[in-house]
């Protein structure tokens, strides 16, 4: 099954893949930046940001020597700013310890700030052609349907099974294209709602399709418990100027500017019992 599945999906990918600017480069740095930007962000939004970022910071060294506030400025509007800070930190680490070149091994990539298993797998496979697996939301959904992997998103056993499946499937020719083809299928055909199975290039190998279980897999994620947050905000003005403070780097809204605030009930914020 593995060989047929790989051949069918790669053939489909070659025929239908979207023409994206980072797919036209072989530069590991450009591929890395695209992978970081694409996390939690739609492809359409990333295109312009990636082009502007690469125009201003064309390589690791130019990014490493920039001021973090300029990096954050170019990231402005893309959200999840810790990604930009980690990108900057990782560029500095690469400039110092790897002579400005991204290392071509998963273990060395995992040592860098902001690199988790997904990013290391993406850079290793797409930029360096290594048989490194990756699992993101799209891949998890596709694999759970193809292989009828049970369990809700976030469950540990399911995650282990997904990574094991991704590891088994990535070995073979063109591992980077294989990983991209899984992500592409999840983004365009095997979507969370109403997947277009009749247009799917691997429906003959898909367990959920054959068993009529597409609507059941994956089951919905268990809702996270909401945490109530009380925040007290001070507003201080002098003429036309307003006092702003920068939040701690770590934690909620890390590093962002805001009106000075304090968390907790008003009595504890004022130091009363
Ligand atoms: Fe997804 Fe349907 Fe294709 Fe199976 S047949 S992989 S459920 S789109």
């Amino acid at each position: 099954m593995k060989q047929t599945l790989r051949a069918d999906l790669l053939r489909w990918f070659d025929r239908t893949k979207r023409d994206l600017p980072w797919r036209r480069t072989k530069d590991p740095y450009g591929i890395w930046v695209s992978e970081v930007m694409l996390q939690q962000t739609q492809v359409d939004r990333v295109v312009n940001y990636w082009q502007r970022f690469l125009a201003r910071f064309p390589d690791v060294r130019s990014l490493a020597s920039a001021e973090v506030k300029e990096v954050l400025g170019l990231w402005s509007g893309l959200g999840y700013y810790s990604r930009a800070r980690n990108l900057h930190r990782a560029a500095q680490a690469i400039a110092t310890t790897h002579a400005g070149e991204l290392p071509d091994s998963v273990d060395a990539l995992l040592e860098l700030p902001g690199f988790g298993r997904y990013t290391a797998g993406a850079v290793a496979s797409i930029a360096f052609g290594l048989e490194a697996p990756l699992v993101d939301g799209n891949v998890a959904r596709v694999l759970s349907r193809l292989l009828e992997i049970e369990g809700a998103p976030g469950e540990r056993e399911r995650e282990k099974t997904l990574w094991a499946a991704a590891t088994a499937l990535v070995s073979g020719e063109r591992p980077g294209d294989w990983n991209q083809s899984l992500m592409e299928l999840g983004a365009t055909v095997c979507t969370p709602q109403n997947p277009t199975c009749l247009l799917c290039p691997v429906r003959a190998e898909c367990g959920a399709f054959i068993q009529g279980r597409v609507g059941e897999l994956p089951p919905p994620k268990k809702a996270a418990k909401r945490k109530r947050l009380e925040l007290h905000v001070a507003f201080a003005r002098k003429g036309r100027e307003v006092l702003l403070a920068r939040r701690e780097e770590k934690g909620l809204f890390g590093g962002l500017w805001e009106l000075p605030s304090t968390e907790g009930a008003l009595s504890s914020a004022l130091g009363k019992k």
Side-chain angles (χ1 to χ4, degrees):
M1 172 192 166
K2 176 181 158 184
Q3 294 314 329
T4 321
L5 179 67
R6 280 184 120 267
D8 287 348
L9 196 53
L10 282 169
R11 203 175 307 120
W12 169 82
F13 183 66
D14 289 341
R15 217 176 47 239
T16 60
K17 69 182 170 200
R18 291 168 291 179
D19 178 26
L20 301 169
W22 47 88
R23 285 190 175 153
R24 290 179 224 137
T25 180
K26 294 256 178 265
D27 174 25
Y29 167 74
I31 292 167
W32 167 43
V33 172
S34 76
E35 283 303 329
V36 175
M37 286 186 169
L38 285 164
Q39 287 163 27
Q40 321 276 349
T41 312
Q42 297 281 330
V43 166
D44 296 350
R45 292 197 65 214
V46 168
V47 172
N48 285 341
Y49 277 92
W50 184 84
Q51 285 167 330
R52 269 194 297 149
F53 201 89
L54 268 283
R56 170 62 190 88
F57 305 122
D59 51 31
V60 168
R61 287 191 194 283
S62 55
L63 176 58
S65 58
E67 293 272 338
V68 69
K69 64 179 186 220
E70 192 188 356
V71 180
L72 290 171
L74 273 179
W75 205 270
S76 180
L78 208 49
Y80 299 96
Y81 293 90
S82 58
R83 292 181 299 172
R85 279 194 204 90
N86 280 331
L87 198 67
H88 185 235
R89 274 192 218 117
Q92 292 176 327
I94 296 165
T96 342
T97 53
H98 298 284
E101 303 289 338
L102 270 108
D104 59 356
S105 88
V106 171
D107 287 347
L109 288 167
L110 283 170
E111 300 275 312
L112 296 167
F115 272 78
R117 281 174 93 183
Y118 169 80
T119 315
V123 172
S125 64
I126 300 169
F128 298 115
L130 301 177
E131 291 178 350
L134 59 77
V135 177
D136 70 348
N138 281 325
V139 173
R141 183 173 59 258
V142 171
L143 292 182
S144 69
R145 288 172 175 165
L146 270 174
L147 306 173
E148 291 184 89
I149 294 172
E150 310 290 341
E155 284 181 21
R156 187 180 297 193
E157 268 316 300
R158 176 182 188 260
E159 300 305 311
K160 269 171 66 180
T161 312
L162 286 169
W163 276 94
T167 305
L169 286 168
V170 77
S171 68
E173 55 166 0
R174 301 168 60 194
D177 283 348
W178 167 254
N179 280 338
Q180 290 191 81
S181 69
L182 276 177
M183 291 192 278
E184 190 87 346
L185 190 75
T188 61
V189 176
C190 194
T191 47
Q193 310 299 331
N194 308 318
T196 44
C197 299
L198 293 178
L199 299 178
C200 179
V202 290
R203 67 179 181 279
E205 288 95 46
C206 177
F209 181 73
I210 294 163
Q211 300 299 330
R213 300 188 63 208
V214 174
E216 289 169 33
L217 290 169
K221 190 175 182 176
K222 288 187 187 130
K225 264 197 175 169
R226 286 183 185 232
K227 194 177 146 197
R228 186 184 165 83
L229 175 70
E230 276 195 53
L231 201 62
H232 299 278
V233 176
F235 178 71
R237 194 176 68 184
K238 186 172 158 197
R240 292 171 62 83
E241 296 180 338
V242 174
L243 181 67
L244 294 179
R246 192 149 179 248
R247 291 183 69 91
E248 299 271 341
E249 287 284 334
K250 289 202 168 147
L252 188 68
F253 309 133
L256 296 187
W257 291 90
E258 61 169 15
L259 294 173
S261 70
T262 181
E263 287 178 20
L266 189 57
S267 56
S268 54
L270 295 175
K272 291 178 187 165
K273 293 270 176 212

